[in-house]
């Protein structure tokens, strides 16, 4: 699933006081030379040295282990079956990375965007300052921006990088001022519309001794399609390939021949198992999506691509335009995995050696919870939890079982139904907009609701912190007029067009709204038009309907351009308020049961 962003969060105040010339000729000559670390003392250095690159992506401020299915990864077993393994949590990620670095004189840690944004309450309510602090402690060296870095706009992103207390809420900890990131944020393809200059550094050169590796960081060109207009106001997002190739040439001019691109855009592996071999039956054969074309066109000067955005796990060999092997990796999301890549650096050519046998293949490694927690991360989590507790621990409602949301791979998610129902119920009264149905973008559902207690609140209790984690963007709701024809077009845009054709985004719908998706067909034809009904009556293309949706969708986000054609907009309460209102109607004796998820019929 793609990580679809929303509106930047409204201010919430707590109630408490870096590289390669062509990887062809130069690097290939060194292929037969043995790799090895630099010799100690006065001994001559070996010609090549192995540099360890640890990488991850789409962390989304997930400091605590994610709940529900979002907190597991699928692992392929020896007999071909898969098993769900609990993973993630910054206390375990820190231990994993620190253990992985042991014995490696040369080690760099990089990320491919969405480190912040769409975060659980523990980080989100503090505008992700806790996550930046944690990433500093993790010794992250460099990351590209992702679309979610723009959730709160460019000014707030710069604050994340350069420090300073929040302009509205001030400093969250008494006597402490937020110092910003110690790692470098790269945004090579994000330029200011007025100055035409990159809004942040386009490149970063990591150096240890005589070893230099250049990093170029980009986010997906389509970021404005998946972020509200306020978040990207005044910014232009350039083509990923053109930008990377431009800066690869510039790095070469600076004498940097070894280059890694950090790209917040990704692919879709044929299997969801993190240890699936996506190079079977041939190089890169097991992965599809936008990253494939990008990888095939990024200049051969670039030696490796660290990617993200799709929250998938893969480590594939997609040959560069010169036909040389080049690894393309992604480590799923939420800190459940990290990728360990060996870059063999040739001191003579200053390039990375790239042949099928030059280095071990990159491996995605599990961030297991069966290992010690990093004490400094435990202290960090506990400190921020204490600050959040008066708000986070409030009981919002009760559920009778797990309600899958982000972790569900089904087109219609039980939690999506519940959220859409909450929006309809809140906005159906005439004075609130007179909504007849509600639609919800799937990427806005950031977690599951888990029945098992995360703390001492008790099983089945939904706290404010948990509901916030499900819907952290605080999008204002809109109730608008759409014709039946526009509604049908919106359903068709779920599975067609440049944004959703390659990667469908199925809207979650409120009770009474039903239709059929025919997966045997392609594009817009997948929507069976005659099946679209509201409360049993066929949708009339000429009739006007009152539809509730968040302002991200109303602005045409996620490729739903037809939704921008709405009329008679009424702005309502924030989406989280609507959700909490529904939860508040439940009791311990009468908890909310998972919806049946039977509104969208899928023909396979």
């Amino acid at each position: 699933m793609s990580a679809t962003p929303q509106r930047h969060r409204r201010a919430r105040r707590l109630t408490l006081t870096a590289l390669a010339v062509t990887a062809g000729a130069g690097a290939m000559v060194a292929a037969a030379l043995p790799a090895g670390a630099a010799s100690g003392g006065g001994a001559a250095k070996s010609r090549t040295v192995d540099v360890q690159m640890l990488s991850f992506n789409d962390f989304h401020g997930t400091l605590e282990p994610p709940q529900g299915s979002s907190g597991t990864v699928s692992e392929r077993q020896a007999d071909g079956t898969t098993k769900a393994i609990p993973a993630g949590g910054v206390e375990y990620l820190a231990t994993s990375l620190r253990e992985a670095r042991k014995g490696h004189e040369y080690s760099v840690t990089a990320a491919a965007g969405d480190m912040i944004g769409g975060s659980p309450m523990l980080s989100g309510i503090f505008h992700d300052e806790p996550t930046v602090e944690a990433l500093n402690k993790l010794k992250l060296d460099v990351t590209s921006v992702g679309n979610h870095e723009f959730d709160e706009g460019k000014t707030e992103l710069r604050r994340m990088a350069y420090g300073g207390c929040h302009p509205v809420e001030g400093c969250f900890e008494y006597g402490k001022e937020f110092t910003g990131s110690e790692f470098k944020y790269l945004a090579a393809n994000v330029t200011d519309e007025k100055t035409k200059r990159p809004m942040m550094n386009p490149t970063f050169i990591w150096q240890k001794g005589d070893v230099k590796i250049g990093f170029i960081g980009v986010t997906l060109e389509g970021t404005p399609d998946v972020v509200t207009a306020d978040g990207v106001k005044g910014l232009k997002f350039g083509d990923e390939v053109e930008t990377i190739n431009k800066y690869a040439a510039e790095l070469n001019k600076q004498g940097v021949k070894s280059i890694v691109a950090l790209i917040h855009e990704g692919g879709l592996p044929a299997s969801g198992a993190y240890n699936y071999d996506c190079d079977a039956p041939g190089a890169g054969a097991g992965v599809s999506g936008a990253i494939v074309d990008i990888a095939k066109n990024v200049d051969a000067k670039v030696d490796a691509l660290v990617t993200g955005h799709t929250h998938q796990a893969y480590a594939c060999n997609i040959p560069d335009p010169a036909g040389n092997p080049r690894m393309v990796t992604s480590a799923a999301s939420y800190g459940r995995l990290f990728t360990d890549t060996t870059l063999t650096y040739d001191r003579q050519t200053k390039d990375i050696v790239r042949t099928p046998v030059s280095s071990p293949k990159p491996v995605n490694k599990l961030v297991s919870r069966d290992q010690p927690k990093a004490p400094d991360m435990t202290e960090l989590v506990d400190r921020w939890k204490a600050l959040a507790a008066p708000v986070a621990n409030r009981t919002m409602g009760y559920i009778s079982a797990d309600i899958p949301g982000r972790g569900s791979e089904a087109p219609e998610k039980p939690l999506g139904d519940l959220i859409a129902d909450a929006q309809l119920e809140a906005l159906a009264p005439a004075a609130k907009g007179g909504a007849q149905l509600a639609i919800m973008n799937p990427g806005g559902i950031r977690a599951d609701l888990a029945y098992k207690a995360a703390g001492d609140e008790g099983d089945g209790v939904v706290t404010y912190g948990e509901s916030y984690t499900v819907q952290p963007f605080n999008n204002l709701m809109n109730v608008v007029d759409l014709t039946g024809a526009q509604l049908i077009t919106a359903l068709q845009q779920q599975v067609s067009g440049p944004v959703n054709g390659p990667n469908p985004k199925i809207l979650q719908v409120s009770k009474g709204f039903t239709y059929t998706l025919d997966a045997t067909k392609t594009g817009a034809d997948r929507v069976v038009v005659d099946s679209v009904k509201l409360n049993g009556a066929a949708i009339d293309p000429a009739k006007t309907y009152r539809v509730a949706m968040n302002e991200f969708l109303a602005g045409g986000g996620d490729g739903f351009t037809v939704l921008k054609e709405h009329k008679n907009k009424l702005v309502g309460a924030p989406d989280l308020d609507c959700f909490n209102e529904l939860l508040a109607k439940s009791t311990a004796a009468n908890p909310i049961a998972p919806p049946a998820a039977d509104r969208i019929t899928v023909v396979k």
Side-chain angles (χ1 to χ4, degrees), residues 238-277:
D239 180 85
E240 304 96 333
V241 173
E242 291 178 5
T243 303
I244 293 169
N245 291 350
K246 170 186 173 182
Y247 285 104
E250 290 197 10
L251 284 169
N252 270 197
K253 289 178 182 177
Q254 297 174 43
V256 179
K257 308 298 183 181
S258 299
I259 304 174
V260 175
L262 307 174
I263 310 172
H264 191 70
E265 178 61 287
L268 302 169
S271 167
Y274 79 88
N275 53 344
Y276 161 71
D277 182 3

Side-chain angles (χ1 to χ4, degrees), residues 139-451:
K139 300 300 181 184
L140 178 65
D141 290 295
V142 59
T143 183
S144 67
V145 296
N147 49 277
H148 276 284
E149 263 79 21
F150 296 93
D151 282 352
E152 297 192 49
K154 62 183 180 182
T155 301
E156 179 66 1
L157 174 54
R158 288 193 177 106
R159 188 178 77 86
M160 291 293 99
Y162 306 124
C165 294
H166 192 271
V168 175
E169 299 184 31
C171 301
F172 294 113
E173 294 186 286
Y174 181 75
K176 290 184 181 180
E177 180 168 334
F178 176 60
T179 57
S181 67
E182 295 170 9
F183 52 91
K184 295 296 183 183
Y185 258 122
L186 305 183
N189 67 331
V190 187
T191 55
D192 186 289
E193 287 183 340
K194 292 183 179 179
T195 66
K196 312 300 182 185
R197 296 174 60 85
M199 69 158 288
M200 303 182 86
N201 290 334
T203 62
F204 165 71
I205 300 172
W206 177 86
Q207 182 171 3
K208 182 169 184 177
D210 59 349
V211 177
K212 289 184 181 180
I213 300 179
F215 290 85
I216 303 166
V218 299
T219 185
L220 67 155
E221 183 181 11
T223 291
D225 296 326
V226 291
V227 178
T228 55
D230 284 348
V232 295
K233 187 176 181 180
L235 299 175
K236 182 178 180 181
F237 293 77
D239 180 85
E240 304 96 333
V241 173
E242 291 178 5
T243 303
I244 293 169
N245 291 350
K246 170 186 173 182
Y247 285 104
E250 290 197 10
L251 284 169
N252 270 197
K253 289 178 182 177
Q254 297 174 43
V256 179
K257 308 298 183 181
S258 299
I259 304 174
V260 175
L262 307 174
I263 310 172
H264 191 70
E265 178 61 287
L268 302 169
S271 167
Y274 79 88
N275 53 344
Y276 161 71
D277 182 3
C278 52
D279 286 329
V287 68
S288 61
I291 199 61
V292 176
D293 282 341
I294 291 173
K296 289 180 177 178
N297 288 285
V298 164
D299 198 299
K301 295 181 180 71
V302 176
D303 297 295
L305 278 59
V306 177
T307 74
H309 189 54
T310 58
H311 289 203
Q312 301 298 309
Y314 48 85
C316 306
N317 171 18
I318 302 178
D320 67 24
N324 300 315
R326 183 164 63 189
M327 296 311 302
V328 180
T329 67
S330 174
S333 59
Y334 307 142
R336 295 172 293 166
L337 302 172
F338 68 95
T339 311
D340 192 337
T341 302
T342 299
L343 302 173
T344 300
Y345 183 90
D346 184 330
R347 287 190 164 101
Q348 182 169 313
T349 65
K350 300 181 181 180
D351 206 348
I352 299 299
V353 180
R354 285 196 283 133
T355 73
V357 294
S358 62
S359 301
K361 182 176 179 179
V363 177
N364 276 322
K365 296 185 176 180
L366 180 73
V367 177
S368 170
R369 297 181 196 166
D370 294 329
Q371 61 179 323
K373 297 179 179 181
D376 59 331
M377 290 301 182
T378 300
E379 184 277 331
L380 180 151
V381 169
D382 288 348
R383 196 177 82 245
W384 287 103
K385 281 179 73 173
L387 281 175
V391 174
N393 294 342
R394 297 200 318 253
T395 295
M396 291 292 105
Y398 303 83
I399 57 176
S400 64
D402 289 350
I403 304 182
R406 185 74 181 187
S408 170
E409 295 183 0
E412 181 183 353
K413 308 172 194 309
L415 189 50
D417 285 358
L418 190 64
I419 291 170
D421 288 349
Q423 295 173 353
L424 175 60
E425 189 169 318
L427 301 170
K432 299 288 185 67
Q436 297 169 274
L437 69 146
I439 55 177
M440 172 66 189
N441 55 309
I445 306 168
R446 306 305 301 181
D448 301 337
L449 279 183
Y451 176 78

